[in-house]
Structure formats: C-alpha cells, structure tokens
Amino acid sequence: MLFQLAWKNIWRNKTRSLVVMGSVVVGLWAGAFIIAYVFGMIEQRLKDAVENEVSHLQLHHPEFDKDNEVKYFIPNGSDAFSSIQEDQRIKAASARVVVFGMVASAQNSTGGKFIGVLPASENRVTGLEEKLTQGSYFEHDSKNRVIIGERLAEKLKVKLRSKIVLTFQDTTGSITAGAFRIIGLYKTYNSTYDETNIFVRAPDLSRLLGTDLQYHEVAMLLQDPESLEAIKSELGAQFTDTTVESWKELSPELGLMIDSFDQYMIVFIIIIMLALSFGIVNTMLMAVLERVREIGMLMAVGMNRIRVFGMIFLETLLLVLLASPIGLCLAYITIQYLGSTGMDLSGLYQEGYAAYGFKSYIYPKLEDIYYLRIMIMVTITALLASIYPAFTAVRLNPVTAIRKI
Amino acid sequence: MENDTPVIVTEQLSKIYPGPVPVHAVNDVDLKVMKGEFTALVGPSGSGKTTLLNLIGGLDYPSNGKVWIRGQEISSLSKSALIEYRLNNIGFVFQAYNLIPVLTARENIEFVMLLQKKSKQERDRRVMELLKEVDLVDQQNKRPGQLSGGQQQRVAVARALASKPAFILADEPTANLDSTTAGNLLDTMVRLNHEENMTFIFSTHDQRVIDRAHRVITLVDGSIARDQIVAVPSDHH
Ligand SMILES: Nc1ncnc2c1ncn2[C@@H]1O[C@H](COP(=O)(O)OP(=O)(O)O)[C@@H](O)[C@H]1O
Ligand SMILES: [Mg+2]
C-alpha cells in the first residue's frame, strides 16, 4: 500500500521528480566516469612507465641500487645478457652502462643519468628511436654521439649538433670527462625523465670509465606481464650475486602516485555525493512542505509515523531506482566510447600531466563491479539524504498542519 | 445497542494556548454525547469549536481535564498510541483536504482499512457498501480533483465510516460548499445516522445545517453557553 502510494506520489510533480532523478543520473554518471578516468590514467601511466622507462624487470649488481657506484658491474654481465636474450619468454632486453654525473654546455650545467646503450637492443626495449623529435638515432659508428631530451636541451640552451660535456668518476675514483655531439633530441610524456636521461653508446662510456665493456643494468620486457613474479624469481636463482627487481620495486614513486590519485578520486566522489544529497534533501523537503496539510490529514486519520517516514523514504528510493539504470547506461556508454577513442587532453593541461609522466591521451576504463559499487554508493547517499525530509514529515503536528486549512 | 453508554464524555476540559497573552480556547467543558446523537457545535468564529473537536478527537492534548471515548480515557495516551487510537475509533471529516489527491475515491475509502490491515475481501465489501451509501458508485474511479466539492466531502464521510469508528467528528464539513450541496451532504450524514446509528458531532456556521441537528451546543468563549435537544436521536423513535 505504501509502495503504491509512494509510486503515485512521485508522479504528482514531474518536474521535481525529474530533478531528483537528474541528480541521481548525474551523480552516477560523474562518479563512474571519474573513477574510470583515474583508472585509465593510472593504467596508462603504468604502461608508459614500463614500456618507456623501467621495463618489466631489471638486473643489477646487488649494491648498485644503493650507491650507484660505477664499480658495481653485473658479474659476468655479458653472459647474463646473452642468456636473457635467448630466453623465449623475454620479448626484448637491453644491456646498459649507467653512470651519474654532470652534463654541461657552454651556457649551463646540470646533473644527469648517462645511459650507455647498445642501440638496437635499447630501441627494442624503450623504443627510443620513435621518440626522437629531431636528428637521428645512433646510425654510424662515429664515437661520442649523444641523444638528449628536448627539455634538457632547452635547459642547457643547446641544439642539434651542439657539443656537451659529460663529467663523472671512473672506476678508480678519478674525474673523467668527454665531449659528445648531440645527434638527436627525444621527447617522452614524462618531462622529468626527459630532463635527466642522456643516451650514449655503451662502448663510449666504457672507454671513459677505463674498463672493457661491462654492464650495470639489463632491462627486460616480458612477453607476458602476468608471469612477472615467476620469471623474476627464476632469474634471481639463475644469476647469483645479482638482484632482479620488478618495476614495482624500481619505481616506488609510481605506487605513491597511484595512492595519491586514489585520494583525489575519493575527494571528488565525496564532493559529488554531497552535491547529490543536497539536491535530494532540497527537493524532497519541498515535496514534504508542499504536502503539509495532506500529511497532517493522514496522521489525523491514523497513519502512524513509521508509515509517514516510510512513504517519503520510499518515494526517494523509487526515484533512485528509476534513475540508476539511466545513469549507469550513460556512464557505460561514455566510458566505453572514450575508452576506445581515448580522451585527448593535449589542449587542456598537457604540461601539468607531463610533469607527472602522464600522456595527454587518457583511456577511461571501469570494471563491471565498480558500476555496482557506485550504484550502491549513490543509493545509500540518496537514502541518507531522504532521512531529513522524511523526518520533517514525521515531526509535523496534525493539529497545526490541519489548521492551515 | 448500548445507547445508554456515552460515546464521548469530557470533564472539566480546558485548553489554554500559551503565549504573551494566553488564550483560553476551551474552558471547563463538561460534555456527554450518547450513541446515535447528531450534534451540532455552533458559536462565533474563535469560540473554540475546532479546539474542542481536536481534544475530543485525540488530535491534541488538553491543558486540563479529561476525555473519555466509550469509557476509555484518551488524554493520557502517548502520541503514537493516539494515532493508532484515532485510526480505529474516530472518523474525521475536515473542511477541506480530506482526501489523498493521487488516489481514486474508492482507494481513498479503502486507505484507512489498509492502515487497519483489513483483508482484501472485507475491504472490497465495505468499500462497495459505503460507495452505495454515499451514492458515489459511478464516481468510484475518479480522483478527488475530478469530483465536485460535495462529492469529495461525501467520499470523506465514507472514508470516515470505513474504519467503523465510535463516532464521526466533522469540523465545518460544509464550509466550502454551496447551500444545495451542503444540504446533500447533510442528507447523507442524516441517513447514515439513521441507518448505521452512527454518532456525529460537527461544527458549523450554517443555519440550515444547524436546523438538521438533533442537539445544538453553543460555545461562547470556550464555554458551553447553551445545550439544546431539538429532536430525539434516530434510534429513540
Ligand atoms: N495554535 C494556536 N495557538 C494559539 N491560539 C490558538 C491556536 N489555535 C486556536 N487558537 C485560538 O483559540 C481560540 C479558539 O479557536 P478555534 O478553536 O479555532 O475556534 P473556532 O473553531 O470556533 O473558530 C481562538 O481565539 C484562536 O485564535
Ligand atoms: Mg474552527
């Protein structure tokens, strides 16, 4: 009986019901979209970080991570590299000489990470060649050629074919330096990465270090990212006196960043839910106040307070249940569509995203279970919001309500 | 029936509305209404008719004194208990806004029986019976907005009867009606008073309505100024 009455009541004032339904639709849609957006962004960032920066796995000397000292070469690094290259489960591997030092131009200097690479292997792992915006990749066997990020070039005020000097300690602790000519400028989506990472040929660095060709790092991309942990422990056992780390360990800041985005997302959702509840409190309160006499009459003839409360509560619930499928469908369609086309934010906030290493293309993405969770959240919010109007109805005094007649 | 047991008894009933100048809306009213009586409550505007009816109907608490309905003291019941009490013992007809606008005439009558959790079978039977009594069988599926003022008030009377109350209390039921329609409503009430031996107590300004009453109680400044029996109750031929 209450159900039928509530159902009929919600069609009394169509505009008002549409306002409530509209807020629920927008609440659901916006809530789902924001979550999908953040998920898409995080996934994109992880993918980028793996494919462009850290790879799936890296092999180092156990001490290398701590001190980054040049003497910590991977024991038997060349053999390890060859055997990794033959492993079918590993899509690509790149062996690197890694040295930290100062990079200087005539105008400016800054700290940098010098990465000595085998050009072909490196390209298969990080796709460095594709990221070039000017110049060319290491093609000829000419010595002391360098590829730096556009950002760094700006900072050093240098151009293609300019010379820069890399200064660092060799294995004996003496300072060594080499002049390199810029043959290429690259750009990734991560401007911080672009500012620090400087690519040269591995033999050029070894020569300056005063050693034969030995490696500090072997970075690997796997055929199947799911097998990450398994391959990691296998390699760890295979290459004793080394450490094998996954991208999660190599880039703890990624995890932190994901956490902070989670928090932003929660704040956004709370704001949306607050807006939704204000909308509902307002409209349902209007619905109650417009019906003061009628509710007074109902209480006079014997409708008890639980039923009055239930009637208003049910009216809100029905509106939410009517609106939810619409909101969910809209959210689903939007997320599916933008998830396949991608959202181009380049005009919007590219610099800001790039500073965090985000592409300006985002592919929103949401697992089915989240639609259900959002719907539950919106329903609970709406029902909580209906408590105050329902309570207002219950507190009406039939005598004063009817006096208004 | 036990026509000798009073349906309504009030004793020293008073209602004072507090305020900078407290209003003594009802003053020491001693009243006894017997079963089957058809009583009009008259008096100038502000004389306390509505306040007295609210006290008798268990809609409001007296400042002093007591109300008994069929021997049960109701002024000591809690608010929730009073709602339940009203549902099962008192029929209300107000001047306006008696009906739920989204329900049909039939559903409005049925509504109180739903609140009383009566069976479908009993509800259907009783609704039909009442629709016939108030002569609205043809209009049963119309909503209040599609009915005339007089028809709406007749639905309200049927709704008041549906719960099988001890009496029906009507506060200016004809105030919004023209005199012919008011006459029709009174005919219906008188008939129900006869046929169901239903006790009515109603307030009114309308002399033609007053003329139909068996007993006329005149209130002045919250006190009973006159109490006249103008005809014997229907059952006491
Ligand atoms: N809620 C209230 N608060 C204060 N005074 C009231 C209230 N209700 C009624 N009164 C006063 O009580 C007196 C009786 O009113 P009422 O019972 O409505 O008389 P009637 O129905 O005969 O016109 C009037 O003076 C009225 O102003
Ligand atoms: Mg009055």
Side-chain angles (χ1 to χ4, degrees), chain B residues 107-147:
Chain B
E107 290 165 338
N108 263 287
I109 298 170
E110 193 182 2
F111 186 73
V112 282
M113 289 188 279
L114 280 162
L115 292 177
Q116 287 178 313
K117 303 202 165 86
K118 294 271 168 64
S119 72
K120 169 104 176 80
Q121 197 186 353
E122 185 178 351
R123 293 195 315 259
D124 285 348
R125 191 184 51 72
R126 182 87 176 130
V127 168
M128 228 353 149
E129 190 178 291
L130 288 166
L131 279 167
K132 277 182 201 145
E133 292 203 72
V134 299
D135 198 18
L136 283 173
V137 178
D138 296 341
Q139 318 290 328
Q140 58 172 304
N141 291 322
K142 289 191 178 163
R143 287 208 229 106
Q146 301 165 301
L147 297 172

Side-chain angles (χ1 to χ4, degrees), chain A residues 1 4-5 8-9 12 293-294 297-305 307 397-399 402-403 405, chain B residues 17 51 54 59 79-80 83 86-87 92 94 96-98 100-103 107 111 114-115 117 159:
Chain A
M1 169 205 51
Q4 278 169 332
L5 186 55
K8 286 177 174 160
N9 276 335
R12 289 168 85 145
R293 293 193 197 96
E294 184 183 325
M297 177 275 292
L298 288 171
M299 291 170 93
V301 303
M303 185 156 170
N304 66 30
R305 288 181 278 189
R307 283 170 167 152
N397 178 352
V399 176
I402 293 164
R403 279 263 179 210
I405 299 168
Chain B
Y17 291 111
T51 306
N54 286 346
L59 286 167
K79 264 191 179 172
S80 319
I83 295 181
R86 293 197 298 264
L87 173 62
F92 291 91
F94 303 103
Y97 298 100
N98 273 296
I100 304 169
V102 292
L103 300 185
E107 290 165 338
F111 186 73
L114 280 162
L115 292 177
K117 303 202 165 86
R159 193 268 317 272

